[in-house]
Amino acid sequence: NPHEFVDLARGVPSMRIFSINGRQTIRFGRTTTMRDCPPQYIVDGLRIENGSPDEFTPQDIEAVEIYPGPATTPPQFTNRPYTYTCGAIVIWTRIPG
């Protein structure tokens, strides 16, 4: 029974969860010495620019796919050509009712 979206991501080896300016943030990477590496958020197939885990309610989520790097991210979820991303968090929402 997670209360926040970051609770769903806890325990995933390639993810770090911390707070920036009082907001929960998810970053990919194995250590705190790695560069800042934010994920690309994709909700129901649509890319969310500058997404934040605060925007998603666990009760509204049907499934989550986590791709921790560009090599593991399927082509349909990759960013525009020549733009580097660290990976993607793909969220599928529940159909109301």
Side-chain angles (χ1 to χ4, degrees), residues 16 27-29 31-38 84-86:
R16 293 181 294 137
R27 294 292 190 263
F28 288 119
T31 67
T32 56
T33 59
M34 293 181 77
R35 65 182 184 81
D36 187 32
C37 206
Y84 180 80
T85 60
C86 297

Side-chain angles (χ1 to χ4, degrees), residues 11-97:
V12 175
S14 60
M15 299 181 92
R16 293 181 294 137
I17 300 169
F18 55 94
S19 182
I20 296 177
N21 296 327
R23 294 184 73 187
Q24 294 287 334
T25 304
I26 295 175
R27 294 292 190 263
F28 288 119
R30 291 186 179 15
T31 67
T32 56
T33 59
M34 293 181 77
R35 65 182 184 81
D36 187 32
C37 206
Q40 173 67 62
Y41 290 93
I42 299 162
V43 179
D44 296 328
L46 300 173
R47 189 176 327 281
I48 305 295
E49 297 295 329
N50 301 315
S52 167
D54 293 342
E55 299 174 36
F56 314 112
T57 307
Q59 293 76 18
D60 296 335
I61 296 173
E62 184 69 27
V64 176
E65 300 174 43
I66 297 174
Y67 302 102
T72 62
T73 306
Q76 67 267 32
F77 301 131
T78 57
N79 210 346
R80 294 177 290 282
Y82 311 113
T83 302
Y84 180 80
T85 60
C86 297
I89 297 176
V90 180
I91 299 167
W92 301 102
T93 58
R94 292 192 168 133
I95 297 172

